[in-house]
Amino acid sequence: MKSPDPRPGILDIKPYRGGVSDAPGFDAPIKLSSNENCFGCSPDASAAMTKALASAERYPDGGVTLLREAIAKTYDLPADRLVCGCGSDELLQLLGKAYLRDGDEVLHAQNGFLTYKLIALQNCAVPIAAPETNLCIDADAFLSKVSARTRMVFLANPNNPTGFLMPRKEVRKLHAGLPKDVLLVIDGAYAEFVRDDDYEGGFALVNSHDNVVATRTFSKSYGLAGLRVGWAYCPKTVAAVLNRVRSPFNVNAVAQSAAIAALGDTDFLNKSVDHVAKWAPKIEAEVKKLGLKAFPSAGNFVLIGLSTPEEADALEQFLSARGLIIRGMRGFGLPGYVRMSVGTDEDNKAVIAAISDFIRQ
Ligand SMILES: *Cc1c(COP(=O)(O)O)cnc(C)c1O
């Protein structure tokens, strides 16, 4: 019997699975598995959502004009080179769809964000991992893997799940070492959390080169993951491409209104960012005191290393039985690790206390 066949390679893709959101036996478990904002979102954004719902019969502005203007003002960028998406994930997908050809190579860090590999496979391209050393990576590690077939390089800075921040000098060196026809995508999903003056979010590179795109999101620091809004700052040529391949109404009206309001509430953003700046190093230190490995993180999460994959699974289970959901990293190719998002004061203390009990048992 004949049946419709997808393109070669599609069925080899392991579908992306988000963080678990339930803990059996708990109505309201503490979910620290997807790097969401533990304070929710700005009350102004909530009010804007409710208001926008009243006009749900209308199509949204397909050009996302007001939101792009608000982003332009907040980040001091030209609005005509911003493209918004259904999460930054959609923009990453669209870049793959528009630029990759069969057999092209897509470079990503060994423990980079999982999506990059999927994007390569979805487009019949070949994902190539650049080697990390102790979960860190530098420009040379990427450049050592560049070949004549390299078409795109994805760099999450800070990286998820390692939390590693690549210094500006290295990002510049990476870009300088790439052929001019290779697109460097700098994914700044956690950019707002970075305090380091040495941060390269990519905007300056986009200003001066045609082969760099910087993506951002409202999902993490702004707490709007459920609404799906992200954006990309692009060279003119890339913006023109993205506007041809995106669907006409890819950012819904509720999301557009909420994101505009979120940008206006700097108090909420600062509160979120300050909280993470206080807790990420504290969680790292506490976990290390308990004898586990933990990595310095520039994002709103901490990667924790156990001695074996089985021990990591057991910790995930142990916490789940207490209504605490963190994320085992098997699916990320790091079986001996778990990742916890920064939660509220109480959440973090509960997890640390539970890890301590786990170790003593
Ligand atoms: C969460 C995350 C994203 C996706 O964000 P959305 O805007 O919600 O699609 C992209 N990149 C990294 C590294 C992330 O951790």
Side-chain angles (χ1 to χ4, degrees):
M1 281 276 282
K2 284 207 162 177
S3 61
D5 254 353
R7 284 208 316 267
I10 300 289
L11 292 176
D12 300 332
I13 298 172
K14 243 171 85 192
Y16 183 87
R17 285 179 40 211
V20 176
S21 56
D22 63 323
F26 291 87
D27 287 338
I30 295 169
K31 181 173 184 285
L32 302 176
S33 58
S34 299
N35 302 344
E36 292 147 345
N37 192 315
C38 64
F39 296 139
C41 71
S42 153
D44 296 350
S46 294
M49 285 177 223
T50 308
K51 188 155 172 246
L53 277 175
S55 316
E57 79 284 5
R58 303 245 180 248
Y59 275 98
D61 168 17
V64 202
T65 317
L66 295 179
L67 174 55
R68 284 189 301 106
E69 282 168 1
I71 296 167
K73 203 165 150 231
T74 305
Y75 289 86
D76 195 19
L77 300 169
D80 63 340
R81 286 165 59 188
L82 298 174
V83 180
C84 294
C86 180
S88 55
D89 199 75
E90 185 198 20
L91 297 164
L92 302 172
Q93 306 265 352
L94 290 176
L95 288 166
K97 180 174 165 185
Y99 284 93
L100 294 173
R101 290 134 174 104
D102 288 12
D104 279 351
E105 291 178 354
V106 175
L107 275 187
H108 60 85
Q110 184 183 345
N111 293 298
F113 190 46
L114 272 187
T115 295
Y116 310 148
K117 207 169 150 182
L118 298 186
I119 291 170
L121 296 173
Q122 286 159 359
N123 293 288
C124 297
V126 185
I128 304 282
E132 292 177 348
T133 308
N134 299 325
L135 302 179
C136 302
I137 194 157
D138 61 12
D140 285 334
F142 275 100
L143 295 174
S144 72
K145 293 289 181 180
V146 171
S147 81
R149 315 203 86 173
T150 308
R151 178 87 58 183
M152 291 178 86
V153 179
F154 284 107
L155 173 71
N157 204 31
N159 185 47
N160 170 20
T162 58
F164 177 70
L165 185 75
M166 190 187 262
R168 176 181 289 132
K169 185 167 91 15
E170 289 296 317
V171 178
R172 298 272 168 111
K173 184 175 170 189
L174 166 60
H175 174 261
L178 293 175
K180 300 247 180 306
D181 59 350
V182 171
L183 187 63
L184 173 62
V185 181
I186 302 179
D187 174 349
Y190 301 94
E192 289 83 10
F193 295 113
V194 179
R195 291 290 173 101
D196 201 328
D197 285 341
D198 197 29
Y199 180 55
E200 175 61 79
F203 295 161
L205 283 172
V206 178
N207 284 336
S208 49
H209 300 278
D210 285 336
N211 66 334
V212 187
V213 175
T215 59
R216 295 291 176 94
T217 183
F218 284 91
S219 296
K220 311 280 163 52
S221 56
Y222 291 99
L224 295 176
L227 292 188
R228 315 302 304 126
V229 206
W231 52 280
Y233 177 45
C234 317
K236 263 203 181 75
T237 45
V238 177
V241 167
L242 287 176
N243 281 321
R244 282 165 171 76
V245 293
R246 70 180 177 89
S247 72
F249 302 106
N250 59 335
V251 185
N252 73 69
V254 176
Q256 291 190 33
S257 297
I260 293 167
L263 287 171
D265 190 351
T266 45
D267 287 348
F268 178 84
L269 181 68
N270 291 337
K271 179 177 129 182
S272 303
V273 169
D274 288 346
H275 179 75
V276 167
K278 173 181 142 195
W279 269 106
K282 203 164 154 159
I283 292 168
E284 181 200 343
E286 293 291 330
V287 165
K288 280 180 174 159
K289 262 195 238 159
L290 295 172
L292 304 183
K293 283 175 280 179
F295 296 85
S297 175
N300 65 339
F301 55 88
V302 178
L303 186 69
I304 299 170
L306 286 295
S307 44
T308 63
E310 293 69 33
E311 196 184 7
D313 296 343
L315 174 60
E316 194 185 351
Q317 295 283 319
F318 185 88
L319 293 178
S320 174
R322 296 187 169 201
L324 303 167
I325 307 173
I326 58 165
R327 184 131 180 210
M329 292 280 105
R330 273 190 191 274
F332 278 72
L334 282 168
Y337 294 80
V338 297
R339 186 194 68 197
M340 73 172 275
S341 312
V342 172
T344 62
D345 293 349
E346 299 74 49
D347 299 345
N348 301 330
K349 286 178 192 158
V351 173
I352 291 163
I355 295 177
S356 167
D357 291 346
F358 172 78
I359 286 168
R360 278 196 259 109
Q361 72 168 2

